[in-house]
Amino acid sequence: MGMIGQHLLNGMMQGTIYGLVAMGFTIFFGVMNVIKFSHGDVLTLGAFGGLVAVWATNSMGLPVPVQFIAAFAAAMLLSAVAGAGISHFLIMPLRNAPPLNMLLMTMMVGTVLREAIRLFFPNGTNPQRFPELLPSGGFNIGSSFFRTDALILIVAGIASIGVVYWIINRTKFGLAMRAVAEDVETARTMGINFARVIPLTFALGSITAGFAGTIYGLYYSEINYGMGLLLAVIGFTAAIVGGLGNIWGAIIGGYLFAGLQTFVVAAMPSMSDYKNVFAFVLIIMLITWRPTGLLAERGSERV
Amino acid sequence: MVTITKRAFAALAAVSVLPLAFGSLDAALAKDKVKIAFVGPLTGALSPHGIGGRNSAELAVKQMNADPKTKYDYELVVLDDECKPNIGVQVVTKIASDRSIVAAIPHYCSATAIATVDIFNRFKLPMVVWAAVLPEITYANKYPEVHRVSGILIGQNRVGAEFMKARGYKKFVSFADSTDYGKSMNKYFTQFTTENGNEILGTFAVPPDQQDLSAELTKIKELNPEVVYFGGLTPLGARLRTQMAKFGINAQLEGNSGIMGDAFINAAGPELAEGTVTFFDSPPISKMPGGKAFTDAYKAAGYSEPPEAYGPFAYIATHLVMETIEKAGPDRAKITAELADVKDRPSIVGPITFDDHGQNITPLTTKYVVQDGKWMVWEDSEYAAGKRKLKNLP
């Protein structure tokens, strides 16, 4: 098993993407008690926005670093607008409805987004080649091959997790978010503009999805209209297993899921087509053991 | 008051009856409409192949309808199976239960075709498969309704194993999708490669829509094979090629008919696709007996999408079905009986002869290599001439 380092790196890359997706789920749930199932499709929307931005900047003859920044900026902006829009027009009016209605509604929004990409994006039914904007190649340490682009993306992903954590815990907006998460009525009495904090919270959660979508495109050099589906299921699972409503739980859940998938292939290569099955079975066992997640949500630490 | 004389009345009657008479004459001259169905992936990742096949089938119908000597006016009912077995079962059930459809030209994907053959048999709907190459489609049962003009994957793998051995390659890894198609590819690849005395270091199977191949590729890199064999279809094949490069795996890629076609080169990019070898049950269109005529007609019809590798097969399958209807009439049972006797029937890919399982036994497996963004017959390539070299040659 001289390839442990390599598997760790693969797991880290996938775990970063899963963790970013799971973080969005946990932010929405922590503040509004909403399971926003369109999250994966917002990620896809962001990734396609990033792709269009690369096409546009490339056709203008702008250098690769500008294309790279444009991809992330467009993806994050588009997903932020989509997330804020969903919360303002659909979640807020329904906030007193039963949670099941909300779940159903967000699932339907996700389907609309997904099908809209499939039907209206040029050649949208086919996978789209995402241009390579990061240096290709890599280097060997022992028997492990370290992809340069993977290392950059992992660092960027972890940094973005840090930034979100900082926003929630160190800024005024984060304080308002946490106050709303604690008690909406008291927060309103204390002068927090509820109608502004909620869409901004959804925008923040969705930005992480847009960011993850672009990382995905850059790492795999390919995006497709259905990519958000499985990512949403895995991200949601990661959020639950970590402890829904707890950011660290979501991140641990993301890395755990990626670790389980990688472990199955590393330990039993011939069983690689069962890797999702194994990972989900183990997660089911974990949830049965700790129904509230590995890091259970505590009142004082929501979001 | 106007009075009508006898003569005027007769003239009036004649004038009013004339259009009726001509109308019925028109009706007598008009040909009966006969519906045949085309099924293939028109959406999703494999749609370039499905659309190329559909265009080719449409072309055959247009040509037939333009011929004044034919007895019937043909209508092509086109349905999308998305290359998914469950969708394939739905659409085939739909066409099979529609009695106005008398025959079908179904399926690009083997996994879909193997799921629907029973339905064709149950509803007694004759069909001619245009692309799917899994042997079991024709050989698992002896259904009189099931025929196939394309080859089977056994020949591709036999020729492939011999070719790779002749180049001196010894160490292989098999990477296939986990569908029936991928499993069958892996089965015959393993059989012929080990029979040739070569070694298979590892076998990997992944679902065709799996995105992340890093764990599998890590293991493959550790095994350090000379050749990575791929048994699957274009989207996964292109993903494998792209991610192999990202992991710095320098092995030679050996494919088969599943990645044959422009779609693979477009998806992987010409640079990464360069030097990929593949084995396909037909020479290129330009070398087929009626290849030029087909290409010219396809261009003249103005299709913007290429026919892809199996377009000519969709074309000949559709022609064959219509020729059979011309002979036997638009009746499912009679068409089935007539198709059983197809022997040395000329077509643009050469003569078609069905064996007792409805399998065309004359396809010619040809070796291909990607050179400068195009599939080329191996013998005509700079690789065969020694000007370029395959990867990892021992």
Side-chain angles (χ1 to χ4, degrees):
Chain A
M1 290 296 285
M3 303 301 278
I4 290 174
Q6 180 75 74
H7 284 303
L8 269 176
L9 192 73
N10 300 341
M12 282 285 284
M13 186 66 236
Q14 276 181 280
T16 307
I17 295 174
Y18 297 162
L20 279 167
V21 180
M23 204 160 70
F25 276 108
T26 221
I27 290 174
F28 305 138
F29 188 81
V31 176
M32 281 291 286
N33 275 344
V34 167
I35 294 165
K36 181 174 157 264
F37 237 101
S38 51
H39 195 48
D41 300 299
V42 169
L43 177 149
T44 312
L45 185 72
F48 274 81
L51 178 65
V52 173
V54 177
W55 285 350
T57 45
N58 187 36
S59 68
M60 284 186 254
L62 296 170
V64 171
V66 178
Q67 296 177 22
F68 180 80
I69 294 166
F72 275 105
M76 286 156 70
L77 185 71
L78 195 62
S79 52
V81 169
I86 290 170
S87 84
H88 185 73
F89 295 109
L90 302 166
I91 290 174
M92 288 290 276
L94 272 176
R95 67 180 183 276
N96 295 321
L100 263 183
N101 290 19
M102 199 82 91
L103 180 75
L104 201 64
M105 192 270 293
T106 57
M107 278 176 87
M108 291 188 286
V109 172
T111 308
V112 170
L113 283 178
R114 192 164 59 244
E115 288 299 305
I117 294 170
R118 185 170 81 85
L119 295 168
F120 301 118
F121 195 84
N123 197 18
T125 48
N126 294 322
Q128 307 289 323
R129 195 165 166 72
F130 205 96
E132 290 190 33
L133 304 175
L134 288 168
S136 57
F139 52 90
N140 285 297
I141 296 181
S143 52
S144 304
F145 180 72
F146 288 77
R147 268 172 66 174
T148 318
D149 57 350
L151 289 175
I152 295 171
L153 292 173
I154 291 171
V155 171
I158 292 173
S160 71
I161 291 170
V163 169
V164 174
Y165 185 78
W166 176 78
I167 290 173
I168 292 171
N169 289 290
R170 296 277 184 275
T171 63
K172 236 177 146 181
F173 165 62
L175 189 66
M177 255 175 77
R178 282 179 291 142
V180 171
E182 284 298 322
D183 187 334
V184 177
E185 287 314 314
T186 314
R188 285 173 106 166
T189 327
M190 301 300 283
I192 289 172
N193 188 344
F194 178 69
R196 236 176 65 189
V197 170
I198 296 300
L200 283 176
T201 305
F202 274 84
L204 178 69
S206 302
I207 281 176
T208 63
F211 197 85
T214 314
I215 287 185
Y216 182 101
L218 287 168
Y219 184 66
Y220 297 118
S221 300
E222 179 202 323
I223 55 172
N224 59 74
Y225 75 93
M227 67 193 239
L229 261 178
L230 188 63
L231 276 179
V233 175
I234 292 175
F236 181 57
T237 312
I240 295 271
V241 80
L244 198 56
N246 185 316
I247 283 207
W248 291 120
I251 292 156
I252 291 173
Y255 285 112
L256 180 70
F257 197 92
L260 288 174
Q261 282 184 321
T262 309
F263 170 76
V264 172
V265 184
M268 297 168 281
S270 59
M271 304 290 275
S272 59
D273 53 334
Y274 294 96
K275 71 176 177 186
N276 283 340
V277 178
F278 273 97
F280 279 119
V281 166
L282 288 171
I283 294 285
I284 290 168
M285 285 157 68
L286 260 179
I287 295 175
T288 318
W289 174 54
R290 287 189 72 113
T292 51
L294 292 173
L295 303 182
E297 178 193 10
R298 277 182 289 162
S300 58
E301 284 195 7
R302 270 173 74 154
V303 181
Chain B
M1 196 179 159
V2 182
T3 52
I4 299 176
T5 61
K6 261 189 185 174
R7 189 175 291 175
F9 181 79
L12 199 67
V15 167
S16 54
V17 163
L18 266 176
L20 284 176
F22 276 110
S24 60
L25 192 67
D26 266 354
L29 285 174
K31 296 172 182 175
D32 284 341
K33 204 167 221 26
V34 172
K35 283 189 195 172
I36 54 176
F38 171 88
V39 187
L42 304 177
T43 57
L46 290 153
S47 55
H49 294 279
I51 290 168
R54 184 217 41 206
N55 292 349
S56 308
E58 230 175 55
L59 177 66
V61 171
K62 275 184 194 165
Q63 288 178 340
M64 200 74 170
N65 284 342
D67 184 350
K69 282 181 262 169
T70 56
K71 293 182 197 157
Y72 305 100
D73 189 31
Y74 294 94
E75 184 185 331
L76 192 69
V77 179
V78 177
L79 288 154
D80 179 13
D81 64 14
E82 299 176 30
C83 223
K84 292 178 184 158
N86 57 333
I87 308 288
V89 166
Q90 282 173 27
V91 298
V92 168
T93 307
K94 192 177 161 195
I95 55 169
S97 50
D98 179 352
R99 300 306 297 180
S100 69
I101 293 171
V102 295
I105 304 104
H107 304 310
Y108 172 77
C109 293
S110 292
T112 315
I114 196 69
T116 65
V117 281
D118 294 334
I119 304 171
F120 286 104
N121 173 250
R122 203 179 317 134
F123 286 84
K124 308 287 174 226
L125 177 65
M127 59 91 130
V128 181
V129 173
W130 60 278
V133 293
L134 183 75
E136 286 78 5
I137 294 166
T138 40
Y139 289 117
N141 301 290
K142 209 169 176 180
Y143 290 151
E145 294 80 14
V146 176
H147 310 82
R148 171 164 51 188
V149 284
S150 49
I152 50 174
L153 53 81
I154 297 175
Q156 299 169 15
N157 284 289
R158 184 189 295 117
V159 173
E162 284 159 9
F163 176 84
M164 298 313 270
K165 187 181 166 66
R167 306 278 91 67
Y169 290 115
K170 289 186 181 68
K171 290 180 178 171
F172 295 72
V173 152
S174 170
F175 187 101
D177 76 35
S178 52
T179 64
D180 287 343
Y181 171 77
K183 281 179 190 159
S184 191
M185 280 287 182
N186 177 55
K187 178 183 154 189
Y188 290 105
F189 160 74
T190 307
Q191 182 187 323
F192 295 122
T193 301
T194 47
E195 268 176 22
N196 276 349
N198 279 335
E199 190 184 354
I200 295 169
L201 305 172
T203 299
F204 299 82
V206 302
D209 55 353
Q210 182 170 313
Q211 186 73 43
D212 185 275
L213 310 175
S214 52
E216 290 81 5
L217 288 173
T218 299
K219 196 74 196 166
I220 290 172
K221 188 158 189 197
E222 191 185 4
L223 294 169
N224 194 23
E226 291 163 351
V227 178
V228 172
Y229 166 85
F230 173 66
L233 302 173
T234 297
L236 184 64
R239 213 170 285 154
L240 173 69
R241 184 67 198 92
T242 310
Q243 296 191 27
M244 267 170 71
K246 292 201 170 199
F247 271 83
I249 296 173
N250 192 36
Q252 170 64 36
L253 185 64
E254 175 191 356
N256 46 56
S257 60
I259 60 166
M260 185 67 203
D262 297 342
F264 171 78
I265 299 170
N266 293 337
E271 283 167 26
L272 287 184
E274 178 71 33
T276 302
V277 290
T278 218
F279 307 94
F280 177 54
D281 292 303
S282 164
I285 298 179
S286 58
K287 294 196 173 185
M288 290 173 184
K292 194 180 176 312
F294 171 78
T295 312
D296 291 349
Y298 194 92
K299 264 190 200 148
Y303 294 115
S304 53
E305 309 88 358
E308 293 289 349
Y310 283 96
F313 287 94
Y315 176 83
I316 60 166
T318 313
H319 251 301
L320 182 64
V321 163
M322 290 186 296
E323 283 164 17
T324 311
I325 296 170
E326 287 291 311
K327 272 192 187 171
D331 178 280
R332 290 184 178 188
K334 286 180 187 161
I335 297 167
T336 303
E338 186 68 32
L339 279 173
D341 296 332
V342 169
K343 196 168 179 259
D344 289 328
R345 185 77 61 86
S347 84
I348 59 161
V349 300
I352 302 168
T353 299
F354 288 143
D355 66 10
D356 60 343
H357 278 80
Q359 175 63 48
N360 182 16
I361 53 168
T362 52
L364 292 167
T365 303
T366 309
K367 307 178 261 301
Y368 289 86
V369 62
V370 178
Q371 183 182 306
D372 299 327
K374 282 204 171 71
W375 287 109
M376 287 197 80
V377 172
W378 171 261
E379 287 78 7
D380 301 342
S381 72
E382 292 188 0
Y383 287 91
K387 285 186 193 161
R388 300 189 197 194
K389 280 206 163 95
L390 294 178
K391 288 191 172 66
N392 248 352
L393 278 172

